[in-house]
Amino acid sequence: MTQTHRTGAHRGAPYGGPGPVGWKAAASRHALLPLRLFLGVTFVYAGLDKLFDSRFLSAGGTGSIGETMRAVRDTSAVPGLVDLALKSPEGFGYAMALGELAVGIGTLLGLLARVAALGGALISLSLWLTMSWSTEPYYYGNDLVYLMAWLPLVLAGASAFSVDATIRRRAARRRML
């Protein structure tokens, strides 16, 4: 049996046709889409939530980034990272919010998807090492889970419904001409 016959590609159906091999290919191609959507929406929401919360973007006071960072400084894994953020809490708050927004938009669009996912992983890693490091047991803190959720997207990128995939397809078509 030839590769074309086995996959059903001779029928012209996407992903090799309706057979079991075609279904598996389609499922594999779209497997990370729910994760991409969840992380993208969550990070866009988190970034917008921070940008529109004037209390968060303050150096001090209840609910401020400054107060939050001072509260976790002595229990974080990397106090120097917290000290760096405390040099300009408002600037750090804006950087965090805009970073989350950029990561979320890039992830949702599949635009520079691996770079966006790496950004999300680094944000999650920094939050884990600072904010939720002392959470016991460790699995109660969600930053470590977000870090692990970003890793498949760092490795695989966005293969379906993405700007990256569209660019790759167009480049492949141009090479074929």
Side-chain angles (χ1 to χ4, degrees), residues 20-44:
V21 173
W23 181 86
K24 289 177 185 176
S28 294
R29 194 170 143 74
H30 295 88
L32 294 178
L33 191 56
L35 185 60
R36 240 180 77 206
L37 291 172
F38 171 76
L39 291 171
V41 167
T42 300
F43 269 58
V44 166

mmCIF file with all atom_site columns, all heavy atoms in Angstrom, residues 20-44:
data_model
loop_
_atom_site.group_PDB
_atom_site.id
_atom_site.type_symbol
_atom_site.label_atom_id
_atom_site.label_alt_id
_atom_site.label_comp_id
_atom_site.label_asym_id
_atom_site.label_entity_id
_atom_site.label_seq_id
_atom_site.pdbx_PDB_ins_code
_atom_site.Cartn_x
_atom_site.Cartn_y
_atom_site.Cartn_z
_atom_site.occupancy
_atom_site.B_iso_or_equiv
_atom_site.pdbx_formal_charge
_atom_site.auth_seq_id
_atom_site.auth_comp_id
_atom_site.auth_asym_id
_atom_site.auth_atom_id
_atom_site.pdbx_PDB_model_num
ATOM 1   N N   . PRO A 1 20 ? -8.927  6.727  9.499  1.00 0.00 ? 20 PRO A N   1
ATOM 2   C CA  . PRO A 1 20 ? -8.310  6.852  10.823 1.00 0.00 ? 20 PRO A CA  1
ATOM 3   C C   . PRO A 1 20 ? -6.989  7.606  10.794 1.00 0.00 ? 20 PRO A C   1
ATOM 4   O O   . PRO A 1 20 ? -6.693  8.368  11.698 1.00 0.00 ? 20 PRO A O   1
ATOM 5   C CB  . PRO A 1 20 ? -8.107  5.412  11.282 1.00 0.00 ? 20 PRO A CB  1
ATOM 6   C CG  . PRO A 1 20 ? -8.479  4.534  10.153 1.00 0.00 ? 20 PRO A CG  1
ATOM 7   C CD  . PRO A 1 20 ? -9.118  5.356  9.098  1.00 0.00 ? 20 PRO A CD  1
ATOM 8   N N   . VAL A 1 21 ? -6.188  7.421  9.760  1.00 0.00 ? 21 VAL A N   1
ATOM 9   C CA  . VAL A 1 21 ? -4.915  8.132  9.683  1.00 0.00 ? 21 VAL A CA  1
ATOM 10  C C   . VAL A 1 21 ? -5.178  9.626  9.499  1.00 0.00 ? 21 VAL A C   1
ATOM 11  O O   . VAL A 1 21 ? -4.544  10.461 10.118 1.00 0.00 ? 21 VAL A O   1
ATOM 12  C CB  . VAL A 1 21 ? -4.033  7.568  8.544  1.00 0.00 ? 21 VAL A CB  1
ATOM 13  C CG1 . VAL A 1 21 ? -2.785  8.413  8.360  1.00 0.00 ? 21 VAL A CG1 1
ATOM 14  C CG2 . VAL A 1 21 ? -3.653  6.126  8.837  1.00 0.00 ? 21 VAL A CG2 1
ATOM 15  N N   . GLY A 1 22 ? -6.156  9.975  8.635  1.00 0.00 ? 22 GLY A N   1
ATOM 16  C CA  . GLY A 1 22 ? -6.511  11.372 8.414  1.00 0.00 ? 22 GLY A CA  1
ATOM 17  C C   . GLY A 1 22 ? -7.038  12.033 9.675  1.00 0.00 ? 22 GLY A C   1
ATOM 18  O O   . GLY A 1 22 ? -6.708  13.173 9.973  1.00 0.00 ? 22 GLY A O   1
ATOM 19  N N   . TRP A 1 23 ? -7.875  11.310 10.408 1.00 0.00 ? 23 TRP A N   1
ATOM 20  C CA  . TRP A 1 23 ? -8.423  11.845 11.659 1.00 0.00 ? 23 TRP A CA  1
ATOM 21  C C   . TRP A 1 23 ? -7.317  12.100 12.667 1.00 0.00 ? 23 TRP A C   1
ATOM 22  O O   . TRP A 1 23 ? -7.301  13.132 13.325 1.00 0.00 ? 23 TRP A O   1
ATOM 23  C CB  . TRP A 1 23 ? -9.435  10.858 12.240 1.00 0.00 ? 23 TRP A CB  1
ATOM 24  C CG  . TRP A 1 23 ? -10.039 11.364 13.507 1.00 0.00 ? 23 TRP A CG  1
ATOM 25  C CD1 . TRP A 1 23 ? -11.124 12.174 13.612 1.00 0.00 ? 23 TRP A CD1 1
ATOM 26  C CD2 . TRP A 1 23 ? -9.577  11.124 14.831 1.00 0.00 ? 23 TRP A CD2 1
ATOM 27  N NE1 . TRP A 1 23 ? -11.370 12.463 14.926 1.00 0.00 ? 23 TRP A NE1 1
ATOM 28  C CE2 . TRP A 1 23 ? -10.424 11.820 15.696 1.00 0.00 ? 23 TRP A CE2 1
ATOM 29  C CE3 . TRP A 1 23 ? -8.526  10.401 15.364 1.00 0.00 ? 23 TRP A CE3 1
ATOM 30  C CZ2 . TRP A 1 23 ? -10.261 11.818 17.068 1.00 0.00 ? 23 TRP A CZ2 1
ATOM 31  C CZ3 . TRP A 1 23 ? -8.360  10.399 16.737 1.00 0.00 ? 23 TRP A CZ3 1
ATOM 32  C CH2 . TRP A 1 23 ? -9.212  11.089 17.571 1.00 0.00 ? 23 TRP A CH2 1
ATOM 33  N N   . LYS A 1 24 ? -6.375  11.168 12.773 1.00 0.00 ? 24 LYS A N   1
ATOM 34  C CA  . LYS A 1 24 ? -5.270  11.333 13.717 1.00 0.00 ? 24 LYS A CA  1
ATOM 35  C C   . LYS A 1 24 ? -4.402  12.524 13.339 1.00 0.00 ? 24 LYS A C   1
ATOM 36  O O   . LYS A 1 24 ? -3.953  13.274 14.206 1.00 0.00 ? 24 LYS A O   1
ATOM 37  C CB  . LYS A 1 24 ? -4.422  10.066 13.790 1.00 0.00 ? 24 LYS A CB  1
ATOM 38  C CG  . LYS A 1 24 ? -5.111  8.925  14.492 1.00 0.00 ? 24 LYS A CG  1
ATOM 39  C CD  . LYS A 1 24 ? -4.247  7.687  14.474 1.00 0.00 ? 24 LYS A CD  1
ATOM 40  C CE  . LYS A 1 24 ? -4.981  6.503  15.064 1.00 0.00 ? 24 LYS A CE  1
ATOM 41  N NZ  . LYS A 1 24 ? -4.186  5.280  14.961 1.00 0.00 ? 24 LYS A NZ  1
ATOM 42  N N   . ALA A 1 25 ? -4.170  12.705 12.065 1.00 0.00 ? 25 ALA A N   1
ATOM 43  C CA  . ALA A 1 25 ? -3.365  13.844 11.615 1.00 0.00 ? 25 ALA A CA  1
ATOM 44  C C   . ALA A 1 25 ? -4.058  15.164 11.951 1.00 0.00 ? 25 ALA A C   1
ATOM 45  O O   . ALA A 1 25 ? -3.428  16.102 12.420 1.00 0.00 ? 25 ALA A O   1
ATOM 46  C CB  . ALA A 1 25 ? -3.100  13.742 10.118 1.00 0.00 ? 25 ALA A CB  1
ATOM 47  N N   . ALA A 1 26 ? -5.373  15.207 11.711 1.00 0.00 ? 26 ALA A N   1
ATOM 48  C CA  . ALA A 1 26 ? -6.124  16.426 12.020 1.00 0.00 ? 26 ALA A CA  1
ATOM 49  C C   . ALA A 1 26 ? -6.131  16.695 13.523 1.00 0.00 ? 26 ALA A C   1
ATOM 50  O O   . ALA A 1 26 ? -5.940  17.820 13.961 1.00 0.00 ? 26 ALA A O   1
ATOM 51  C CB  . ALA A 1 26 ? -7.557  16.310 11.499 1.00 0.00 ? 26 ALA A CB  1
ATOM 52  N N   . ALA A 1 27 ? -6.336  15.644 14.312 1.00 0.00 ? 27 ALA A N   1
ATOM 53  C CA  . ALA A 1 27 ? -6.341  15.809 15.774 1.00 0.00 ? 27 ALA A CA  1
ATOM 54  C C   . ALA A 1 27 ? -4.981  16.262 16.271 1.00 0.00 ? 27 ALA A C   1
ATOM 55  O O   . ALA A 1 27 ? -4.880  17.151 17.127 1.00 0.00 ? 27 ALA A O   1
ATOM 56  C CB  . ALA A 1 27 ? -6.755  14.505 16.449 1.00 0.00 ? 27 ALA A CB  1
ATOM 57  N N   . SER A 1 28 ? -3.921  15.692 15.732 1.00 0.00 ? 28 SER A N   1
ATOM 58  C CA  . SER A 1 28 ? -2.576  16.085 16.142 1.00 0.00 ? 28 SER A CA  1
ATOM 59  C C   . SER A 1 28 ? -2.294  17.531 15.770 1.00 0.00 ? 28 SER A C   1
ATOM 60  O O   . SER A 1 28 ? -1.695  18.274 16.535 1.00 0.00 ? 28 SER A O   1
ATOM 61  C CB  . SER A 1 28 ? -1.525  15.187 15.482 1.00 0.00 ? 28 SER A CB  1
ATOM 62  O OG  . SER A 1 28 ? -1.648  13.881 15.973 1.00 0.00 ? 28 SER A OG  1
ATOM 63  N N   . ARG A 1 29 ? -2.741  17.918 14.608 1.00 0.00 ? 29 ARG A N   1
ATOM 64  C CA  . ARG A 1 29 ? -2.508  19.284 14.135 1.00 0.00 ? 29 ARG A CA  1
ATOM 65  C C   . ARG A 1 29 ? -3.222  20.323 14.997 1.00 0.00 ? 29 ARG A C   1
ATOM 66  O O   . ARG A 1 29 ? -2.751  21.439 15.157 1.00 0.00 ? 29 ARG A O   1
ATOM 67  C CB  . ARG A 1 29 ? -2.998  19.362 12.701 1.00 0.00 ? 29 ARG A CB  1
ATOM 68  C CG  . ARG A 1 29 ? -2.581  20.549 11.933 1.00 0.00 ? 29 ARG A CG  1
ATOM 69  C CD  . ARG A 1 29 ? -2.938  20.338 10.458 1.00 0.00 ? 29 ARG A CD  1
ATOM 70  N NE  . ARG A 1 29 ? -3.372  21.548 9.852  1.00 0.00 ? 29 ARG A NE  1
ATOM 71  C CZ  . ARG A 1 29 ? -2.557  22.539 9.527  1.00 0.00 ? 29 ARG A CZ  1
ATOM 72  N NH1 . ARG A 1 29 ? -1.287  22.450 9.772  1.00 0.00 ? 29 ARG A NH1 1
ATOM 73  N NH2 . ARG A 1 29 ? -3.022  23.637 8.973  1.00 0.00 ? 29 ARG A NH2 1
ATOM 74  N N   . HIS A 1 30 ? -4.341  19.951 15.561 1.00 0.00 ? 30 HIS A N   1
ATOM 75  C CA  . HIS A 1 30 ? -5.144  20.882 16.358 1.00 0.00 ? 30 HIS A CA  1
ATOM 76  C C   . HIS A 1 30 ? -5.054  20.632 17.864 1.00 0.00 ? 30 HIS A C   1
ATOM 77  O O   . HIS A 1 30 ? -5.744  21.294 18.634 1.00 0.00 ? 30 HIS A O   1
ATOM 78  C CB  . HIS A 1 30 ? -6.608  20.795 15.917 1.00 0.00 ? 30 HIS A CB  1
ATOM 79  C CG  . HIS A 1 30 ? -6.820  21.260 14.519 1.00 0.00 ? 30 HIS A CG  1
ATOM 80  N ND1 . HIS A 1 30 ? -6.704  20.420 13.440 1.00 0.00 ? 30 HIS A ND1 1
ATOM 81  C CD2 . HIS A 1 30 ? -7.100  22.478 14.018 1.00 0.00 ? 30 HIS A CD2 1
ATOM 82  C CE1 . HIS A 1 30 ? -6.925  21.106 12.334 1.00 0.00 ? 30 HIS A CE1 1
ATOM 83  N NE2 . HIS A 1 30 ? -7.156  22.356 12.658 1.00 0.00 ? 30 HIS A NE2 1
ATOM 84  N N   . ALA A 1 31 ? -4.220  19.708 18.288 1.00 0.00 ? 31 ALA A N   1
ATOM 85  C CA  . ALA A 1 31 ? -4.175  19.296 19.698 1.00 0.00 ? 31 ALA A CA  1
ATOM 86  C C   . ALA A 1 31 ? -3.846  20.435 20.660 1.00 0.00 ? 31 ALA A C   1
ATOM 87  O O   . ALA A 1 31 ? -4.368  20.480 21.774 1.00 0.00 ? 31 ALA A O   1
ATOM 88  C CB  . ALA A 1 31 ? -3.172  18.158 19.878 1.00 0.00 ? 31 ALA A CB  1
ATOM 89  N N   . LEU A 1 32 ? -3.005  21.350 20.255 1.00 0.00 ? 32 LEU A N   1
ATOM 90  C CA  . LEU A 1 32 ? -2.596  22.430 21.152 1.00 0.00 ? 32 LEU A CA  1
ATOM 91  C C   . LEU A 1 32 ? -3.492  23.662 21.057 1.00 0.00 ? 32 LEU A C   1
ATOM 92  O O   . LEU A 1 32 ? -3.305  24.619 21.804 1.00 0.00 ? 32 LEU A O   1
ATOM 93  C CB  . LEU A 1 32 ? -1.140  22.820 20.886 1.00 0.00 ? 32 LEU A CB  1
ATOM 94  C CG  . LEU A 1 32 ? -0.111  21.749 21.227 1.00 0.00 ? 32 LEU A CG  1
ATOM 95  C CD1 . LEU A 1 32 ? 1.284   22.215 20.872 1.00 0.00 ? 32 LEU A CD1 1
ATOM 96  C CD2 . LEU A 1 32 ? -0.196  21.356 22.691 1.00 0.00 ? 32 LEU A CD2 1
ATOM 97  N N   . LEU A 1 33 ? -4.464  23.635 20.164 1.00 0.00 ? 33 LEU A N   1
ATOM 98  C CA  . LEU A 1 33 ? -5.346  24.793 19.988 1.00 0.00 ? 33 LEU A CA  1
ATOM 99  C C   . LEU A 1 33 ? -6.109  25.158 21.270 1.00 0.00 ? 33 LEU A C   1
ATOM 100 O O   . LEU A 1 33 ? -6.143  26.338 21.636 1.00 0.00 ? 33 LEU A O   1
ATOM 101 C CB  . LEU A 1 33 ? -6.288  24.565 18.817 1.00 0.00 ? 33 LEU A CB  1
ATOM 102 C CG  . LEU A 1 33 ? -7.076  25.774 18.339 1.00 0.00 ? 33 LEU A CG  1
ATOM 103 C CD1 . LEU A 1 33 ? -6.162  26.929 17.961 1.00 0.00 ? 33 LEU A CD1 1
ATOM 104 C CD2 . LEU A 1 33 ? -7.945  25.389 17.146 1.00 0.00 ? 33 LEU A CD2 1
ATOM 105 N N   . PRO A 1 34 ? -6.715  24.202 21.993 1.00 0.00 ? 34 PRO A N   1
ATOM 106 C CA  . PRO A 1 34 ? -7.398  24.581 23.242 1.00 0.00 ? 34 PRO A CA  1
ATOM 107 C C   . PRO A 1 34 ? -6.442  25.214 24.265 1.00 0.00 ? 34 PRO A C   1
ATOM 108 O O   . PRO A 1 34 ? -6.812  26.187 24.937 1.00 0.00 ? 34 PRO A O   1
ATOM 109 C CB  . PRO A 1 34 ? -7.961  23.254 23.777 1.00 0.00 ? 34 PRO A CB  1
ATOM 110 C CG  . PRO A 1 34 ? -8.042  22.368 22.582 1.00 0.00 ? 34 PRO A CG  1
ATOM 111 C CD  . PRO A 1 34 ? -6.906  22.768 21.684 1.00 0.00 ? 34 PRO A CD  1
ATOM 112 N N   . LEU A 1 35 ? -5.236  24.698 24.351 1.00 0.00 ? 35 LEU A N   1
ATOM 113 C CA  . LEU A 1 35 ? -4.251  25.264 25.268 1.00 0.00 ? 35 LEU A CA  1
ATOM 114 C C   . LEU A 1 35 ? -3.878  26.680 24.839 1.00 0.00 ? 35 LEU A C   1
ATOM 115 O O   . LEU A 1 35 ? -3.796  27.595 25.664 1.00 0.00 ? 35 LEU A O   1
ATOM 116 C CB  . LEU A 1 35 ? -3.011  24.372 25.318 1.00 0.00 ? 35 LEU A CB  1
ATOM 117 C CG  . LEU A 1 35 ? -1.933  24.750 26.327 1.00 0.00 ? 35 LEU A CG  1
ATOM 118 C CD1 . LEU A 1 35 ? -2.477  24.732 27.750 1.00 0.00 ? 35 LEU A CD1 1
ATOM 119 C CD2 . LEU A 1 35 ? -0.752  23.802 26.190 1.00 0.00 ? 35 LEU A CD2 1
ATOM 120 N N   . ARG A 1 36 ? -3.674  26.872 23.531 1.00 0.00 ? 36 ARG A N   1
ATOM 121 C CA  . ARG A 1 36 ? -3.365  28.200 22.994 1.00 0.00 ? 36 ARG A CA  1
ATOM 122 C C   . ARG A 1 36 ? -4.472  29.192 23.302 1.00 0.00 ? 36 ARG A C   1
ATOM 123 O O   . ARG A 1 36 ? -4.221  30.327 23.719 1.00 0.00 ? 36 ARG A O   1
ATOM 124 C CB  . ARG A 1 36 ? -3.211  28.103 21.475 1.00 0.00 ? 36 ARG A CB  1
ATOM 125 C CG  . ARG A 1 36 ? -1.872  28.510 20.971 1.00 0.00 ? 36 ARG A CG  1
ATOM 126 C CD  . ARG A 1 36 ? -1.791  28.398 19.469 1.00 0.00 ? 36 ARG A CD  1
ATOM 127 N NE  . ARG A 1 36 ? -2.461  29.498 18.810 1.00 0.00 ? 36 ARG A NE  1
ATOM 128 C CZ  . ARG A 1 36 ? -2.974  29.417 17.596 1.00 0.00 ? 36 ARG A CZ  1
ATOM 129 N NH1 . ARG A 1 36 ? -2.912  28.306 16.904 1.00 0.00 ? 36 ARG A NH1 1
ATOM 130 N NH2 . ARG A 1 36 ? -3.553  30.460 17.064 1.00 0.00 ? 36 ARG A NH2 1
ATOM 131 N N   . LEU A 1 37 ? -5.716  28.776 23.092 1.00 0.00 ? 37 LEU A N   1
ATOM 132 C CA  . LEU A 1 37 ? -6.852  29.660 23.359 1.00 0.00 ? 37 LEU A CA  1
ATOM 133 C C   . LEU A 1 37 ? -6.947  30.013 24.837 1.00 0.00 ? 37 LEU A C   1
ATOM 134 O O   . LEU A 1 37 ? -7.135  31.179 25.196 1.00 0.00 ? 37 LEU A O   1
ATOM 135 C CB  . LEU A 1 37 ? -8.158  29.022 22.871 1.00 0.00 ? 37 LEU A CB  1
ATOM 136 C CG  . LEU A 1 37 ? -8.294  28.897 21.358 1.00 0.00 ? 37 LEU A CG  1
ATOM 137 C CD1 . LEU A 1 37 ? -9.530  28.081 20.996 1.00 0.00 ? 37 LEU A CD1 1
ATOM 138 C CD2 . LEU A 1 37 ? -8.336  30.265 20.707 1.00 0.00 ? 37 LEU A CD2 1
ATOM 139 N N   . PHE A 1 38 ? -6.823  29.016 25.691 1.00 0.00 ? 38 PHE A N   1
ATOM 140 C CA  . PHE A 1 38 ? -6.911  29.264 27.135 1.00 0.00 ? 38 PHE A CA  1
ATOM 141 C C   . PHE A 1 38 ? -5.814  30.219 27.598 1.00 0.00 ? 38 PHE A C   1
ATOM 142 O O   . PHE A 1 38 ? -6.075  31.214 28.271 1.00 0.00 ? 38 PHE A O   1
ATOM 143 C CB  . PHE A 1 38 ? -6.835  27.948 27.922 1.00 0.00 ? 38 PHE A CB  1
ATOM 144 C CG  . PHE A 1 38 ? -6.710  28.182 29.401 1.00 0.00 ? 38 PHE A CG  1
ATOM 145 C CD1 . PHE A 1 38 ? -7.806  28.577 30.149 1.00 0.00 ? 38 PHE A CD1 1
ATOM 146 C CD2 . PHE A 1 38 ? -5.487  28.039 30.036 1.00 0.00 ? 38 PHE A CD2 1
ATOM 147 C CE1 . PHE A 1 38 ? -7.683  28.826 31.510 1.00 0.00 ? 38 PHE A CE1 1
ATOM 148 C CE2 . PHE A 1 38 ? -5.353  28.280 31.390 1.00 0.00 ? 38 PHE A CE2 1
ATOM 149 C CZ  . PHE A 1 38 ? -6.459  28.673 32.132 1.00 0.00 ? 38 PHE A CZ  1
ATOM 150 N N   . LEU A 1 39 ? -4.566  29.911 27.247 1.00 0.00 ? 39 LEU A N   1
ATOM 151 C CA  . LEU A 1 39 ? -3.454  30.745 27.702 1.00 0.00 ? 39 LEU A CA  1
ATOM 152 C C   . LEU A 1 39 ? -3.521  32.141 27.083 1.00 0.00 ? 39 LEU A C   1
ATOM 153 O O   . LEU A 1 39 ? -3.258  33.143 27.761 1.00 0.00 ? 39 LEU A O   1
ATOM 154 C CB  . LEU A 1 39 ? -2.115  30.078 27.394 1.00 0.00 ? 39 LEU A CB  1
ATOM 155 C CG  . LEU A 1 39 ? -1.802  28.829 28.205 1.00 0.00 ? 39 LEU A CG  1
ATOM 156 C CD1 . LEU A 1 39 ? -0.562  28.125 27.654 1.00 0.00 ? 39 LEU A CD1 1
ATOM 157 C CD2 . LEU A 1 39 ? -1.625  29.158 29.679 1.00 0.00 ? 39 LEU A CD2 1
ATOM 158 N N   . GLY A 1 40 ? -3.875  32.218 25.807 1.00 0.00 ? 40 GLY A N   1
ATOM 159 C CA  . GLY A 1 40 ? -3.979  33.515 25.149 1.00 0.00 ? 40 GLY A CA  1
ATOM 160 C C   . GLY A 1 40 ? -5.029  34.403 25.788 1.00 0.00 ? 40 GLY A C   1
ATOM 161 O O   . GLY A 1 40 ? -4.765  35.561 26.132 1.00 0.00 ? 40 GLY A O   1
ATOM 162 N N   . VAL A 1 41 ? -6.232  33.872 25.957 1.00 0.00 ? 41 VAL A N   1
ATOM 163 C CA  . VAL A 1 41 ? -7.317  34.646 26.579 1.00 0.00 ? 41 VAL A CA  1
ATOM 164 C C   . VAL A 1 41 ? -6.946  35.021 28.014 1.00 0.00 ? 41 VAL A C   1
ATOM 165 O O   . VAL A 1 41 ? -7.148  36.161 28.444 1.00 0.00 ? 41 VAL A O   1
ATOM 166 C CB  . VAL A 1 41 ? -8.649  33.863 26.537 1.00 0.00 ? 41 VAL A CB  1
ATOM 167 C CG1 . VAL A 1 41 ? -9.699  34.484 27.433 1.00 0.00 ? 41 VAL A CG1 1
ATOM 168 C CG2 . VAL A 1 41 ? -9.157  33.771 25.105 1.00 0.00 ? 41 VAL A CG2 1
ATOM 169 N N   . THR A 1 42 ? -6.391  34.077 28.758 1.00 0.00 ? 42 THR A N   1
ATOM 170 C CA  . THR A 1 42 ? -6.028  34.338 30.152 1.00 0.00 ? 42 THR A CA  1
ATOM 171 C C   . THR A 1 42 ? -4.986  35.449 30.260 1.00 0.00 ? 42 THR A C   1
ATOM 172 O O   . THR A 1 42 ? -5.112  36.345 31.095 1.00 0.00 ? 42 THR A O   1
ATOM 173 C CB  . THR A 1 42 ? -5.504  33.050 30.824 1.00 0.00 ? 42 THR A CB  1
ATOM 174 O OG1 . THR A 1 42 ? -6.542  32.065 30.782 1.00 0.00 ? 42 THR A OG1 1
ATOM 175 C CG2 . THR A 1 42 ? -5.099  33.291 32.260 1.00 0.00 ? 42 THR A CG2 1
ATOM 176 N N   . PHE A 1 43 ? -3.975  35.425 29.401 1.00 0.00 ? 43 PHE A N   1
ATOM 177 C CA  . PHE A 1 43 ? -2.932  36.444 29.487 1.00 0.00 ? 43 PHE A CA  1
ATOM 178 C C   . PHE A 1 43 ? -3.414  37.804 28.974 1.00 0.00 ? 43 PHE A C   1
ATOM 179 O O   . PHE A 1 43 ? -3.027  38.839 29.520 1.00 0.00 ? 43 PHE A O   1
ATOM 180 C CB  . PHE A 1 43 ? -1.653  35.970 28.791 1.00 0.00 ? 43 PHE A CB  1
ATOM 181 C CG  . PHE A 1 43 ? -0.731  35.257 29.737 1.00 0.00 ? 43 PHE A CG  1
ATOM 182 C CD1 . PHE A 1 43 ? -1.145  34.132 30.431 1.00 0.00 ? 43 PHE A CD1 1
ATOM 183 C CD2 . PHE A 1 43 ? 0.552   35.720 29.972 1.00 0.00 ? 43 PHE A CD2 1
ATOM 184 C CE1 . PHE A 1 43 ? -0.316  33.478 31.319 1.00 0.00 ? 43 PHE A CE1 1
ATOM 185 C CE2 . PHE A 1 43 ? 1.398   35.085 30.871 1.00 0.00 ? 43 PHE A CE2 1
ATOM 186 C CZ  . PHE A 1 43 ? 0.962   33.952 31.541 1.00 0.00 ? 43 PHE A CZ  1
ATOM 187 N N   . VAL A 1 44 ? -4.266  37.827 27.955 1.00 0.00 ? 44 VAL A N   1
ATOM 188 C CA  . VAL A 1 44 ? -4.859  39.103 27.533 1.00 0.00 ? 44 VAL A CA  1
ATOM 189 C C   . VAL A 1 44 ? -5.690  39.677 28.678 1.00 0.00 ? 44 VAL A C   1
ATOM 190 O O   . VAL A 1 44 ? -5.578  40.861 29.014 1.00 0.00 ? 44 VAL A O   1
ATOM 191 C CB  . VAL A 1 44 ? -5.721  38.928 26.257 1.00 0.00 ? 44 VAL A CB  1
ATOM 192 C CG1 . VAL A 1 44 ? -6.605  40.145 26.014 1.00 0.00 ? 44 VAL A CG1 1
ATOM 193 C CG2 . VAL A 1 44 ? -4.834  38.678 25.046 1.00 0.00 ? 44 VAL A CG2 1
#
